[in-house]
Amino acid sequence: MGKVAVAFAAAAVLVSCSVAAVMVGRRIKSRAKWRAVVEILKEMEEACRTPVGRLRQVVDAMAVEMHAGLASEGGSKLKMLLTFVHRLPNGTEKGTYYALHLGGTYFRILRVHLGGERSYLDVQDVERHPIPSHLMNSTSEVLFNFLAFSMERFIEKEGKESNSQGVKRELAFTFSFPVKHSSISSGVLIKWTKGFEISEMVGKDVAECLQGALNRRGLDIHVAALVNDTVGALSLGYYHDPDTVVAVVFGTGSNACYLERTDAIIKSQGLLTTSGSVVVNMEWGNFWSSHLPRTSYDIDLDAESSNPNDMGFEKIIAGLYLGDIVRRVILRMSQVSDIFGPTSPMLSELYVLRTNSVSAMHEDDTPELQEVARILKDLGVSEVPLKVRKLVVKICDVVTRRAGRLAAAGIAGILKKIGRDGSGGITSGRSRSEMRMQKRTVVAVEGGLYMNYTMFREYMEEALVEILGEEVSQYVVVKAMEDGSSIGSALLVASLQS
């Protein structure tokens, strides 16, 4: 019996050792997988680094590209488009005006009533609707018929009193895509961005297309101005504060405009305006520089996009793309480790993770990161431990921090070009005394990414102070313009009538 007991004991020890060995092996394997995921995150962090020295290189590159774009057509990746807007609203405007805004995700319609004083700005009946996805690759006729129909429904809700005397309604068409203007009320589409793909529309006069659709519906509406969304934001900013000289939109896409002296626009010599300046639409989404930090995920996103090798700056700072960059990092991690469980097929779907979900995860302040868990579950990834959820939050932070800081560098680049960054910038003929004088400068900013994503906004504003320095940054004011592009466009039409 003693020998049998010893044998049993030995067998039990053997089994225990085997189980222990299996468990140790699993732990070692699990740690190896975790290390692989952590290594991916470290590589991502390193590739996305934006120290202030690098940001200032981006600032310099932006200012140089702006100068080149003003010197000659095709001289820069920045198109530096003339808008023919040289008079901005000043508060004396009166009357009722309309705006129809076609953006990247939503379209808006609103009515503005002005009483001739800055304090009297009555924004009425704002309607905001998602753009039906089928319109984005339909035809120009289908798209503009839809917009005209939407405008007709908006007018019908007003009742008869608004137009009882048969006064023609004056409309601003806010169009968030690159247009080459021939006047303030006309311009041809250069290319689509933000996921739109109506190829036969390129080269057509955008205002003319909308006017034709309105006429076909028998609407007594005059398309009085074709306005880029950034120009609309600048108009509203200037209406409230004449120190506003720059406007930037951070939404589905991103773009900027600013007030430039006409004598600095070499490619349009002889351009005369009563104010001596004109608003320039930069189309900065297409900016690129070797100083911009780029990862393998950015390269893959660009290659699989509808516009490869185009809009490089936009693809690392704009709302359409931030969610997809995060998705690609999570997918890569799930392919080298099982920390997310079996790889969800949804993680391979382009743009399935939207930036508003990234914002919700990034800013999740619940103890167990329940919002992160919910969003991951929607992506087919369920029951991940807390440390994995924290990892996802970190990915969101890395991607958003880079975007916000580069956005700040873009703004600082504009300020450098116009001599508002404290350095004198690329001034083209300004005296040294003028360069030394620091003026108060207001930057109008709008767009869902900026307005709704707190961490993006904070990273951007923090970096702007870093770049400019404490002394200069106190003269630079960033002002949010909610619905600025739509309201400002209506104000611009009003300024044309007064």
Side-chain angles (χ1 to χ4, degrees), residues 394-407:
K394 182 62 178 176
I395 297 167
C396 297
D397 185 71
V398 170
V399 172
T400 302
R401 187 172 192 270
R402 178 185 66 165
R405 290 174 68 80
L406 290 175

Side-chain angles (χ1 to χ4, degrees), residues 269-326:
Q269 287 184 337
L271 177 67
L272 297 175
T273 65
T274 54
S275 64
S277 60
V278 68
V279 178
V280 173
N281 168 17
M282 292 174 60
E283 288 299 330
W284 84 351
N286 205 39
F287 168 70
W288 190 254
S289 163
S290 60
H291 300 301
L292 290 171
R294 200 182 195 200
T295 69
S296 59
Y297 309 102
D298 302 310
I299 294 169
D300 291 343
L301 182 152
D302 178 60
E304 295 173 28
S305 69
S306 60
N307 54 344
N309 300 314
D310 197 18
M311 307 301 287
F313 190 48
E314 182 172 271
K315 286 173 181 172
I316 54 179
I317 67 168
L320 178 61
Y321 304 103
L322 300 188
D324 206 57
I325 298 170
V326 171

Side-chain angles (χ1 to χ4, degrees), residues 442-460:
V442 177
V443 179
V445 184
E446 84 144 348
L449 182 63
Y450 179 83
M451 303 295 289
N452 303 323
Y453 197 162
T454 304
M455 293 303 297
F456 173 88
R457 184 168 65 248
E458 289 181 356
Y459 279 138
M460 189 200 87

Side-chain angles (χ1 to χ4, degrees), residues 221-287:
I221 298 174
H222 173 230
V223 181
L226 177 62
V227 187
N228 184 265
D229 52 352
T230 60
V231 180
L234 180 66
S235 295
L236 181 60
Y238 191 90
Y239 180 86
H240 288 301
D241 190 332
D243 286 335
T244 306
V245 293
V246 178
V248 191
V249 171
F250 298 108
T252 305
S254 184
N255 190 20
C257 75
Y258 72 106
L259 207 54
E260 179 61 275
R261 299 180 350 268
T262 52
D263 63 358
I265 307 174
I266 301 170
K267 66 182 179 182
S268 295
Q269 287 184 337
L271 177 67
L272 297 175
T273 65
T274 54
S275 64
S277 60
V278 68
V279 178
V280 173
N281 168 17
M282 292 174 60
E283 288 299 330
W284 84 351
N286 205 39
F287 168 70

Side-chain angles (χ1 to χ4, degrees), residues 147-153 155-156 168-169 211 213-222:
L147 294 177
F149 172 69
S150 301
M151 194 72 209
E152 183 178 37
R153 286 195 308 173
I155 296 297
E156 286 172 351
K168 186 184 286 288
R169 292 174 171 88
Q211 188 68 69
L214 294 169
N215 292 346
R216 285 194 295 274
R217 299 203 75 84
L219 299 174
D220 196 13
I221 298 174
H222 173 230

Side-chain angles (χ1 to χ4, degrees), residues 96-116:
T96 300
Y97 304 91
Y98 298 78
L100 168 61
H101 180 187
L102 180 65
T105 307
Y106 296 92
F107 72 94
R108 298 176 186 84
I109 305 175
L110 57 81
R111 182 175 65 251
V112 172
H113 185 67
L114 303 167

